[in-house]
Amino acid sequence: MIRLAMLLALLPAQDGVKPRYAAEKGERDRVFLETKLGIRIEGSEQLANFIRSMHPLLSMEKLQIRAEGGFQVVSRNRRKVEYDEARVDARYDDADHEYDFQKGQAPEDDKDKLRQLMWMLAAVGRNYTLSPEGEYRSDDPNQDQNGEAMDLLVLGITRMPDGPVREGDSYEKKWKGQRAEKNKPGRYDFVQKVTVEKIEEKDGKTVATLSGELSGKVDAAKDPGAEEGWTKCAGKTKTVIEVATGRILSSEGKGEVTVYFRNLADTGAKQEVKLRFIVEGKLAVK
């Protein structure tokens, strides 16, 4: 009888669990992180070249960052990701580059602009706010709506359910994004469909695996210079979380942010361009 009671205690609660991200300061976890970014510019050569000229990052064909470091809730809802060491593989302007960075060691050659950019992306880490319910906001004051969407995918951010859920349950969350391009009001309308993939016991703790499908479209006024224009995102996320503590054991996501523009040139010829940001990210406690 006692053995049966012990076995029942290890089973997930029959009335479901209510996962939430941790809100209060906790211990620093040592983690492995991986981030991938691919940029594709497709369409009319003139428009594609103009877009590439807007920012050095837009000439980046491929970027992969593999790092080890720390992940911690440092104060209420505030998270800090630190990279103790990072390896960067990049393809920029049709040339391959490799860099290794250590925490606290800034690039010595300040004339190498690409190395400086890679150091900013790979070695500085990131800080952000994440509420127990899954409301995300980066500390980057210059982040636009597409940066927000890519962060949600790369970090595998999951909106939590309103009430208790069981294994196999699904729910849907809708919300308005917080970021917009400077001097433009358009923000994302996000939708995330989440399935409770698994609820299990690991080392005496209840762990939930939440798999999501994220989609969104920027709600903005029509560009007067475009016949057609839109910005969308789509991808998948997964979060593995301790139910009692809200501690993230792993998270991952992959997807795409796409910007499309079409108009007529002065000659009457059709001009169109599609800018695709293909992203993937993983975080796992070691």
Side-chain angles (χ1 to χ4, degrees):
M1 197 63 149
I2 295 175
R3 181 177 297 177
L4 176 60
M6 292 175 63
L7 289 172
L8 290 173
L10 291 175
L11 295 175
Q14 295 301 304
D15 56 353
V17 299
K18 190 177 179 180
R20 289 288 185 270
Y21 285 113
E24 304 302 330
K25 183 177 180 179
E27 297 295 321
R28 184 182 189 265
D29 281 318
R30 184 156 180 81
V31 293
F32 168 80
L33 308 102
E34 183 175 27
T35 301
K36 296 179 181 179
L37 168 66
I39 299 177
R40 307 286 184 270
I41 304 176
E42 306 164 354
S44 307
E45 184 177 357
Q46 183 177 357
L47 283 176
N49 289 337
F50 172 73
I51 289 174
R52 288 190 185 94
S53 70
M54 294 173 66
H55 194 282
L57 188 61
L58 295 176
S59 293
M60 185 75 62
E61 300 171 51
K62 181 190 74 173
L63 173 68
Q64 181 180 30
I65 301 171
R66 288 166 292 180
E68 292 188 4
F71 181 55
Q72 183 180 15
V73 181
V74 294
S75 61
R76 185 165 181 79
N77 295 338
R78 302 276 301 121
R79 281 168 168 74
K80 185 179 184 67
V81 181
E82 293 182 303
Y83 298 160
D84 296 332
E85 55 185 56
R87 175 69 178 268
V88 178
D89 295 291
R91 185 165 182 80
Y92 184 83
D93 271 350
D94 297 323
D96 293 323
H97 303 267
E98 294 181 356
Y99 301 103
D100 290 298
F101 298 110
Q102 300 290 326
K103 182 179 178 180
Q105 296 180 359
E108 297 179 0
D109 184 3
D110 58 5
K111 294 181 180 180
D112 187 341
K113 299 302 181 184
L114 179 60
R115 187 178 182 87
Q116 290 281 346
L117 178 61
M118 294 300 97
W119 180 77
M120 289 294 294
L121 291 173
V124 176
R126 66 167 80 214
N127 299 293
Y128 59 91
T129 298
L130 183 65
S131 76
E133 296 75 24
E135 297 177 8
Y136 169 85
R137 185 177 180 87
S138 169
D139 274 13
D140 181 358
N142 299 313
Q143 186 180 67
D144 65 7
Q145 73 277 13
N146 291 328
E148 178 183 23
M150 285 189 277
D151 273 4
L152 294 176
L153 291 168
V154 168
L155 295 171
I157 301 296
T158 302
R159 287 285 172 130
M160 296 297 159
D162 293 329
V165 291
R166 300 180 180 87
E167 186 173 308
D169 284 352
S170 296
Y171 59 92
E172 181 177 279
K173 306 293 285 187
K174 298 181 179 180
W175 71 97
K176 177 71 76 172
Q178 300 187 47
R179 299 296 197 178
E181 191 176 349
K182 188 175 181 180
N183 299 323
K184 295 183 180 180
R187 294 184 293 162
Y188 268 100
D189 288 322
F190 287 114
V191 179
Q192 190 175 40
K193 298 177 181 179
V194 182
T195 297
V196 184
E197 184 177 303
K198 189 183 296 183
I199 298 175
E200 59 186 332
E201 295 296 319
K202 288 185 176 180
D203 300 323
K205 298 176 181 179
T206 302
V207 174
T209 300
L210 307 175
S211 298
E213 294 185 5
L214 179 71
S215 61
K217 183 176 181 180
V218 173
D219 178 20
K222 186 178 184 301
D223 186 337
E227 284 192 339
E228 182 183 357
W230 45 260
T231 302
K232 300 177 183 179
C233 72
K236 296 184 177 182
T237 60
K238 181 178 287 190
T239 298
V240 180
I241 188 171
E242 287 183 357
V243 173
T245 64
R247 177 180 175 231
I248 298 172
L249 300 179
S250 68
S251 63
E252 61 185 83
K254 64 187 302 183
E256 184 172 323
V257 171
T258 307
V259 182
Y260 179 79
F261 177 89
R262 187 186 79 233
N263 71 357
L264 291 178
D266 294 337
T267 61
K270 182 177 76 172
Q271 294 187 125
E272 64 179 344
V273 66
K274 182 182 287 186
L275 175 58
R276 301 168 57 212
F277 298 94
I278 304 159
V279 297
E280 183 175 349
K282 294 179 183 179
L283 179 149
V285 173
K286 299 188 67 177

